[in-house]
Amino acid sequence: MTGKECCSDDNNCKCACCDSGNLVVVGCQWGDEGKGKIVDFLASDYDIVVRYNGGNNAGHTVVIGDEKYKFHLIPSGSIQKKKVVMGNGMAVDPKVLISEIKTLKEKNLDPKLFLSDRAHVIMPYHRMLDASREKKRCGGKLGTTGRGIGPAYVDKVGRTESIRMCDLVNGSLKDRIKGIIELKKDYLVCIGAIKPEEIESYVNDIVKEYEGYAKILRPYICDTSIMINEEIKKGSSILFEGAQGMMLDVDHGTYPFVTSSSVTSGGVCAGAGVGPKVIGKVVGIAKAYTTRVGGGPFPTELHDKKGDELRERGAEFGTTTGRPRRCGWLDLVVLRHAATINGLDGIVLTKMDVLSGTGKVKVCTAYKIDGKTVNNMPASIKDMENAEPVYEELPGWDEFDGTEKKCIPENAIKFIERIEKETGVPVIIVSNGQRRDQTIVF
């Protein structure tokens, strides 16, 4: 929002929604925080929505009335019929993207889509390599979605074996794929993905398939960095939409149990092709509790009936994979880490309704590691695995509804104030359900 709804009577407001023309929305936990709903809610006051990282390993769900929209690649702002941009920091599966475009068109929501010519392309062999590496991984499975995103980013930084969107449409696709398969053939044969005598036909099949994708996607492919920066010069307002969550960031998350891209607000510059001066304000999305999908440490995870209750009440099953999410109490060590790394100006607290009417709640304020109290996020995965949460118990609250702060019960306000005190960041929006109208702006 840019002040049209939350602070229209205060021309001097400096809140995270009102003080800048551009806004970054990031996840503060391990993803699945409800970013899709919040981006949809905010998008009405922005001209363009830009996604800057990840691939179809992410999933955003938006509920409007009886209609449910699920996105994996296209920014959620497409429901608002905004211009939407898929930035160069993304890894894109053309087949999935074309399916999403088709679905939106069927709902009379033909996307005003701009696809970066520098975005990297997920190929069939990336999915094969993803599955093979996960199966053979030592030291615990990462819990990858198997969509090929990790291997695609490996090829990107490897600099010799990756195809970008510009390669799809510049006439060199066959030579590029032939050269890449030549480099990968020994490994692909080794894992049983192809047979030596099938290599030539395998190359031809991929070329034919991806030339078909190129014909459909050609009208959308352009230099999105130029497009975004020209729009900013014209005075257009930009909402930058992050995928996944802070704790899955390749640098600042629970490495190696992370994604392969830069999830933080800092990733906007590289992933969208803009300078840091245009980022504006940063808003972080966090659930009132914590969830995680896949492997890796999760200090506040609940392995009891309360964890099952959170999963059932919150419908905690992945948008992308359908996997049940691991559930636990709110981790304020994680939230403080996210606030610091992302430079948060405000927090959006989602799924407050899941905790309503369930009795007392807990928040983790620190960890105990080898007998010592630790207030900050450890880098060592071993320390994270050994971390014991230090809990503070807070009184619960009854179920509530409405769109104004006065509708929130006193104990829920105290819960919110505890978060603000621990993070040093104001909570500016509370989401109390899946629907767009179940949102309270402070």
Side-chain angles (χ1 to χ4, degrees):
M1 281 175 291
T2 54
K4 295 179 184 178
E5 294 181 37
C6 66
C7 302
S8 57
D9 59 345
D10 184 358
N11 294 327
N12 295 315
C13 178
K14 297 296 180 182
C15 81
C17 290
C18 299
D19 191 36
S20 173
N22 301 326
L23 182 70
V24 180
V25 175
V26 296
C28 292
Q29 296 158 316
W30 278 281
D32 307 310
E33 301 94 347
K35 294 182 295 296
K37 172 190 171 175
I38 300 304
V39 168
D40 171 66
F41 180 76
L42 297 172
S44 60
D45 287 330
Y46 289 86
D47 299 307
I48 303 170
V49 180
V50 177
R51 182 171 159 189
Y52 60 89
N53 76 295
N56 58 306
N57 53 342
H60 291 170
T61 301
V62 179
V63 179
I64 301 175
D66 296 327
E67 193 77 54
K68 183 177 286 188
Y69 300 87
K70 293 187 177 183
F71 297 94
H72 301 279
L73 289 170
I74 297 177
S76 308
S78 57
I79 299 176
Q80 301 274 6
K81 298 186 178 180
K82 302 291 181 175
K83 292 180 180 177
V84 290
V85 176
M86 294 172 59
N88 57 273
M90 293 185 65
V92 181
D93 186 323
K95 184 177 181 179
V96 175
L97 176 55
I98 290 168
S99 176
E100 288 192 18
I101 292 171
K102 180 181 178 182
T103 297
L104 285 169
K105 286 184 175 181
E106 289 172 350
K107 296 179 182 292
N108 295 318
L109 292 170
D110 193 356
K112 302 174 183 177
L113 176 64
F114 299 81
L115 173 61
S116 175
D117 53 5
R118 290 174 169 83
H120 287 251
V121 181
I122 294 174
M123 307 297 290
Y125 46 80
H126 287 140
R127 293 187 289 273
M128 296 176 183
L129 293 171
D130 206 357
S132 174
R133 290 172 182 173
E134 182 74 351
K135 184 178 180 180
K136 297 178 180 180
R137 192 179 301 278
C138 297
K141 295 183 182 298
L142 296 183
T144 172
T145 60
R147 302 298 198 265
I149 283 81
Y153 277 111
V154 168
D155 281 358
K156 173 180 178 177
V157 297
R159 298 171 295 165
T160 58
E161 301 176 27
S162 191
I163 289 175
R164 300 189 296 172
M165 283 295 164
C166 57
D167 299 317
L168 283 185
V169 295
N170 69 4
S172 63
L173 184 60
K174 185 171 184 176
D175 289 340
R176 294 281 293 122
I177 291 177
K178 187 176 181 180
I180 290 168
I181 297 300
E182 182 64 27
L183 291 170
K184 292 183 181 293
K185 66 180 182 181
D186 290 342
Y187 189 76
L188 290 171
V189 169
C190 180
I191 66 174
I194 56 174
K195 297 178 181 178
E197 64 271 19
E198 296 174 345
I199 292 175
E200 184 176 352
S201 62
Y202 181 68
V203 169
N204 291 334
D205 288 345
I206 293 177
V207 171
K208 182 178 179 180
E209 178 183 354
Y210 278 70
E211 284 180 340
Y213 297 152
K215 291 178 182 178
I216 298 171
L217 295 178
R218 185 184 298 272
Y220 302 104
I221 297 172
C222 64
D223 189 331
T224 55
S225 174
I226 296 297
M227 176 264 184
I228 294 168
N229 282 283
E230 286 181 348
E231 287 286 351
I232 290 171
K233 289 178 182 178
K234 294 176 185 177
S236 297
S237 56
I238 315 291
L239 195 163
F240 295 99
E241 171 187 344
Q244 288 94 27
M246 166 71 204
M247 295 306 295
L248 294 175
D249 183 80
V250 69
D251 289 300
H252 301 287
T254 48
Y255 188 89
F257 297 92
V258 293
T259 191
S260 302
S261 61
S262 295
V263 174
T264 66
S265 58
V268 170
C269 297
V274 297
K277 292 181 180 180
V278 309
I279 286 179
K281 295 290 185 177
V282 183
V283 168
I285 317 298
K287 282 176 182 169
Y289 51 100
T290 310
T291 63
R292 177 166 198 169
V293 172
F298 182 178
T300 66
E301 184 174 10
L302 295 170
H303 300 279
D304 55 15
K305 291 182 180 180
K306 176 57 73 172
D308 295 337
E309 181 185 5
L310 290 175
R311 184 178 304 107
E312 291 302 319
R313 286 177 62 92
E316 296 296 352
F317 300 91
T319 301
T320 297
T321 63
R323 291 180 293 181
R325 296 172 185 146
R326 301 154 63 190
C327 297
W329 294 118
L330 180 64
D331 190 332
L332 293 175
V333 180
V334 166
L335 216 49
R336 286 197 300 266
H337 183 57
T340 299
I341 299 299
N342 289 287
L344 295 185
D345 296 290
I347 292 172
V348 176
L349 196 60
T350 64
K351 294 209 168 183
M352 284 286 284
D353 55 305
V354 176
L355 296 183
S356 297
T358 62
K360 293 180 179 180
V361 299
K362 293 181 181 180
V363 294
C364 170
T365 58
Y367 300 146
K368 280 282 187 181
I369 303 176
D370 296 331
K372 297 180 180 179
T373 300
V374 177
N375 294 305
N376 299 312
M377 183 62 57
S380 166
I381 200 70
K382 181 180 179 181
D383 286 344
M384 280 294 288
E385 288 171 342
N386 293 331
E388 299 178 10
V390 176
Y391 284 122
E392 179 178 320
E393 192 171 75
L394 299 172
W397 55 87
D398 295 330
E399 295 183 5
F400 62 96
D401 204 353
T403 57
E404 297 181 13
K405 185 177 180 179
K406 65 182 181 182
C407 302
I408 303 176
E410 181 180 355
N411 286 343
I413 291 292
K414 290 179 179 178
F415 177 79
I416 291 167
E417 290 173 344
R418 193 71 186 89
I419 293 170
E420 293 177 327
K421 182 178 179 180
E422 284 289 329
T423 61
V425 181
V427 173
I428 58 172
I429 296 175
V430 170
S431 173
N432 193 42
Q434 277 195 317
R435 300 195 314 271
R436 186 190 290 169
D437 59 350
Q438 292 175 304
T439 310
I440 301 170
V441 180
F442 283 24

